[in-house]
Amino acid sequence: MVLRAGTILTLLALTGCEEPLTLAQVCKETPGFCSDLNKDSHCKNERSEVILKRYIEYKKPTDENKYQLLKGFESYNQCITLAAKIEHIKLKSKTTSRIEGQLTSIKEMTRLYQDTKNTNHPGLLYYHWSRNNEQNALTRLLAMENDESVTNSAEMQFYLASYYIKFDDEKTIDLLYKTLELNKQGQQPNPEVYTSLISLFYKHDKYKHAYIFSKVAQSAGIENIDLLPIEHQLMSDGKNLDALDTLAQQTYEQIQNGEFVSPREF
């Protein structure tokens, strides 16, 4: 079972123990958190995360814990919805339990949205807007744009970029750069950070920048990056691709090490 460090630390704080609470212990203490999810091996990691986050939210129903649970259920829902479409020929009960898990995730996400209607949590406000098209939530989120809970969060900087990309390219690039600045060592940024930067730089004829982030994206394991048109533009301008490859590798390592510094130019 793979658990995120934040989940483990929260469980330690809740239990007051040196050892984190296990999945088996949660299911024994609160069996309802486990019994209404799928029973087979599909979506194992997502299921485990949801069970533990349900327990955390149950013990301490803060907006932050509700937000983490909402994200957990969304990931679980995406996985189990696909799994529910796979019919198990021999054991119909497995298919049934997947559908039960899917319905549970929808019910719980609805509950969490209802519970947080009046929230001031930036992540929840973004979800209320992006998932439910609640314009009031967007208005409240934009009013918090310079709040530390937003400016110091890579996740929130990326969320804002996904809003501004519709009409403000320069600000979007600044926000995406800030997202990379805030990326912690060893973490992989959302792939859309790279693909958005590539698209924006190419759109504005910034081929050197588009090439560098295309190579960074490839190093991060992102597939289907079309380098050929960018390479052709650069070679026709007489640019040295070897030098750009070196710069791209340095940029990738800086991001991975949590040391990226935005050039802040466009």
Side-chain angles (χ1 to χ4, degrees):
M1 178 178 62
V2 177
L3 299 179
R4 293 190 179 91
T7 302
I8 294 174
L9 289 173
T10 303
L11 285 168
L12 282 169
L14 287 173
T15 59
C17 303
E18 293 183 1
E19 294 297 326
L21 196 64
T22 66
L23 199 66
Q25 287 173 307
V26 172
C27 290
K28 182 178 180 180
E29 181 180 336
T30 51
F33 289 169
C34 308
S35 62
D36 59 356
L37 303 175
N38 64 300
K39 310 299 190 296
D40 60 4
S41 60
H42 274 82
C43 309
K44 184 177 180 180
N45 290 337
E46 291 86 352
R47 181 179 183 273
S48 299
E49 284 279 343
V50 159
I51 289 171
L52 293 170
K53 287 177 178 178
R54 290 178 97 174
Y55 184 84
I56 292 169
E57 192 256 346
Y58 165 68
K59 288 290 187 180
K60 195 173 181 180
T62 63
D63 275 4
E64 174 62 22
N65 289 341
K66 289 181 186 295
Y67 176 55
Q68 295 302 327
L69 179 57
L70 180 59
K71 291 197 295 181
F73 263 120
E74 185 171 81
S75 295
Y76 174 75
N77 177 264
Q78 291 169 351
C79 180
I80 205 63
T81 296
L82 291 175
K85 295 176 182 177
I86 304 171
E87 184 174 353
H88 199 285
I89 298 173
K90 293 183 179 179
L91 297 174
K92 295 288 185 181
S93 61
K94 289 193 174 184
T95 303
T96 302
S97 79
R98 294 171 199 164
I99 294 173
E100 183 180 7
Q102 181 187 19
L103 293 174
T104 294
S105 64
I106 294 170
K107 180 184 71 176
E108 281 293 279
M109 286 190 290
T110 301
R111 173 186 71 83
L112 289 163
Y113 281 125
Q114 290 298 323
D115 284 354
T116 57
K117 278 283 186 182
N118 299 314
T119 186
N120 285 315
H121 186 288
L124 286 169
L125 289 172
Y126 175 79
Y127 264 57
H128 276 284
W129 168 66
S130 62
R131 274 56 170 178
N132 299 328
N133 196 31
E134 294 181 14
Q135 293 302 309
N136 181 52
L138 174 61
T139 300
R140 283 185 283 158
L141 174 60
L142 294 177
M144 298 176 64
E145 192 170 337
N146 296 319
D147 190 274
E148 286 187 1
S149 63
V150 176
T151 59
N152 292 335
S153 166
E155 181 179 56
M156 292 310 306
Q157 293 297 291
F158 173 68
Y159 286 164
L160 286 174
S162 72
Y163 166 71
Y164 281 107
I165 198 170
K166 301 178 183 69
F167 58 89
D168 191 333
D169 291 351
E170 183 174 355
K171 184 161 187 173
T172 301
I173 290 173
D174 285 341
L175 287 164
L176 292 172
Y177 271 151
K178 183 67 174 178
T179 302
L180 295 179
E181 276 192 330
L182 292 168
N183 189 66
K184 292 182 171 58
Q185 184 176 8
Q187 290 186 347
Q188 285 286 3
N190 188 308
E192 290 184 30
V193 174
Y194 296 133
T195 55
S196 296
L197 282 171
I198 295 165
S199 176
L200 288 168
F201 285 135
Y202 190 81
K203 173 183 175 181
H204 291 278
D205 302 330
K206 301 287 185 178
Y207 302 120
K208 183 180 75 171
H209 296 72
Y211 180 84
I212 288 170
F213 279 98
S214 293
K215 299 294 286 188
V216 170
Q218 289 183 334
S219 296
I222 301 172
E223 300 177 353
N224 302 320
I225 301 295
D226 188 5
L227 267 170
L228 279 177
I230 305 173
E231 288 178 340
H232 288 159
Q233 290 286 351
L234 288 170
M235 287 188 291
S236 66
D237 292 339
K239 299 295 184 182
N240 184 344
L241 296 187
D242 289 339
L244 294 180
D245 286 340
T246 299
L247 184 55
Q249 182 59 33
Q250 291 173 348
T251 302
Y252 173 71
E253 291 173 0
Q254 288 168 356
I255 294 168
Q256 288 300 294
N257 294 331
E259 299 172 347
F260 178 79
V261 177
S262 168
R264 300 193 185 282
E265 60 182 10
F266 173 65

